[in-house]
Amino acid sequence: MNQRPTRAEIDLDALAANYRALQEAAGEREVLAVVKANAYGHGAVACSRALEEAGARWLGVAIVEEGVALREAGVSARILVLNGLFDGQAEACLAHDLTPVVYRLESFADLQALASSRGEKARVHLKVDTGMGRVGVPLGDLPAFAADLKRYPEVEVEGLLTHLADADIRDLDYSREQVARFGRAAEAMAAAGRPVPLRHFANSAATVRRLGGEAGMVRPGIMLYGARPAPDFDPSVPLRPVMRFLTATAYVKRVPPGSPVSYGRTFVTKRESVIATLPVGYADGVPRKLSNRGEVLVRGRRLPIVGRVCMDLTMVDATDFPDLAVGEEAVLIGAQGDGRISAEEFAGWAETIDYEILCGVSSRVPRVYLPGDEATACESSS
Ligand SMILES: Cc1ncc(COP(=O)(O)O)c(C=O)c1O
């Protein structure tokens, strides 16, 4: 069966180039490539394979389920589960050779029980909260926490990590303070007789800003995909966008002045117009906020979205192209001819960030991998 023309093209060469650029910025430090949330919407399996091929030895997922899916697809790199374990997940974690981030003694207890019954060690990375306020052992609690770890001899704390709250803003004072606290966390572990060999705190922004602090690994995500952590952020390394989100006109009609378009009749034509309907909507990841405000590229030129974005359909004013036909390419994110709409610009229309837009391209949108062969050409989103 032929597919609806709506798709996301994923340029795996661009992904590999971005990985190499970040590896260069990271210098001697290991680059853990963050592929959580379906590789920020780009397709976790294909991206993980491409990143492994580009040299990545570590991948980061948010949850155990994502790690298991990668293992089942044959991914063999080390996989760090960044958000830790939920109750009852320790077994799947060990069985699939996933390395959990931990910050609760209950996770240590679960892992200890399993590891000793299997006659093996469980490796974990311990997360400390230095000011993000999300998950992690509070710095002040760390000495007591570290002292308790002797109850879990089969659990090896291989890594120590923290997460920065705003390494993408101009003023790095808070990030530097967090890094200093992280240094104190490492000292507290050493003082408790648990020195941790591998330390990491840097997201994309901190990686390219070469934020100081002793660390053996960095954890970039968004910049792997060619997007920036914040609109005014200078990436300082060459980045190539990885995703192109596109469709094709499904219906084109000429209408007289005074014709309403879409729910609520929020747009009414003022002149004789050509209205093109695109087979893409908010169920695909085009936010409804783009109603009467976003743009798409057709023949390399920008056309305005008119009327409300619907669940499955979106209309554009194509009066500039009276000969527009059904089946002509329309680009939501990416380049076409001399035109380009970045994820960032698209996110701006929706009053959100690129992260949310990219991982919001829904599972209904097939990912098409470039350069593609038959096997990867129409792999779907997961
Ligand atoms: C724990 C952790 N590390 C690294 C990253 C990657 O951050 P970024 O995508 O900003 O590079 C994230 C993303 O949210 C994260 O949650």
Side-chain angles (χ1 to χ4, degrees):
M1 186 184 75
N2 268 349
Q3 288 187 333
R4 174 177 77 137
T6 304
R7 63 195 189 277
E9 287 176 357
I10 307 300
D11 182 346
L12 296 175
D13 284 345
L15 178 69
N18 296 338
Y19 171 81
R20 287 191 293 271
L22 287 160
Q23 178 65 78
E24 206 174 312
E28 298 291 297
R29 293 174 294 173
E30 184 86 40
V31 174
L32 175 148
V34 180
V35 294
K36 63 183 176 144
N38 199 26
Y40 291 46
H42 294 68
V45 169
C47 289
S48 297
R49 288 184 185 142
L51 287 161
E52 277 189 306
E53 224 165 90
R57 289 183 298 185
W58 282 84
L59 300 169
V61 296
I63 55 176
V64 169
E65 293 88 321
E66 293 175 333
V68 170
L70 291 183
R71 285 285 180 252
E72 284 173 349
V75 169
S76 62
R78 293 288 306 273
I79 297 178
L80 191 64
V81 182
L82 295 165
N83 287 354
L85 296 175
F86 293 95
D87 290 347
Q89 289 194 318
E91 185 155 15
C93 199
L94 290 194
H96 291 88
D97 191 23
L98 308 175
T99 307
V101 165
V102 288
Y103 38 86
R104 293 166 60 228
L105 286 175
E106 290 83 348
S107 306
F108 276 90
D110 287 355
L111 290 162
Q112 167 70 26
L114 271 166
S116 55
S117 73
R118 293 163 69 111
E120 57 188 44
K121 288 244 181 210
R123 289 178 295 194
V124 301
H125 288 209
L126 176 62
K127 187 156 193 179
V128 54
D129 184 3
T130 58
M132 173 71 180
R134 195 166 64 170
V135 290
V137 180
L139 188 53
D141 297 351
L142 191 62
F145 193 97
D148 274 340
L149 297 185
K150 58 179 168 312
R151 291 173 14 215
Y152 312 109
E154 311 310 325
V155 184
E156 179 198 336
V157 181
E158 175 192 35
L160 184 70
L161 72 152
T162 195
H163 196 51
L164 304 181
D166 56 10
D168 55 345
I169 64 168
R170 202 171 297 276
D171 180 354
L172 278 179
D173 284 356
Y174 190 72
S175 295
R176 290 205 180 93
E177 178 55 34
Q178 281 197 266
V179 173
R181 290 179 195 156
F182 188 52
R184 294 205 285 282
E187 284 162 19
M189 292 299 290
R194 306 287 299 232
V196 186
L198 183 56
R199 299 197 276 279
H200 45 105
F201 59 82
N203 53 10
S204 295
T207 300
V208 298
R209 295 178 93 176
R210 295 173 168 83
L211 203 61
E214 207 189 310
M217 191 153 84
V218 295
R219 308 188 306 264
I222 192 76
M223 285 173 65
L224 285 171
Y225 307 101
R228 297 189 285 183
D232 57 353
F233 187 84
D234 171 11
S236 72
V237 297
L239 291 181
R240 286 165 55 186
V242 176
M243 183 190 290
R244 235 174 131 238
F245 183 20
L246 65 159
T247 184
T249 52
Y251 189 58
V252 182
K253 62 184 181 296
R254 179 173 291 278
V255 296
S259 302
V261 176
S262 196
Y263 288 118
R265 293 178 285 121
T266 58
F267 181 85
V268 178
T269 55
K270 292 196 176 65
R271 54 179 179 171
E272 185 174 277
S273 303
V274 176
I275 302 294
T277 301
L278 307 178
V280 67
Y282 58 77
D284 300 297
V286 180
R288 196 162 170 274
K289 270 256 162 68
L290 267 62
S291 302
N292 290 310
R293 105 191 261 201
E295 295 171 338
V296 305
L297 294 170
V298 172
R299 299 183 183 173
R301 296 237 316 260
R302 285 167 182 256
L303 300 185
I305 291 176
V306 290
R308 289 205 180 130
V309 172
C310 308
M311 189 183 289
D312 320 299
L313 299 167
T314 297
M315 275 59 73
V316 294
D317 185 341
T319 311
D320 286 353
F321 300 126
D323 61 335
L324 193 72
V326 166
E328 291 207 38
E329 184 183 270
V331 173
L332 298 137
I333 296 175
Q336 187 195 51
D338 293 335
R340 180 166 128 74
I341 293 172
S342 64
E344 192 177 299
E345 186 178 12
F346 190 93
W349 292 324
E351 293 172 29
T352 183
I353 52 173
D354 326 25
Y355 295 74
E356 188 178 352
I357 293 299
L358 293 172
C359 66
V361 175
S362 80
S363 58
R364 191 166 78 171
V365 178
R367 272 61 171 175
V368 179
Y369 295 100
L370 310 173
D373 56 28
E374 286 309 306
T376 57
C378 267
E379 203 172 310
S380 76
S381 60
S382 52

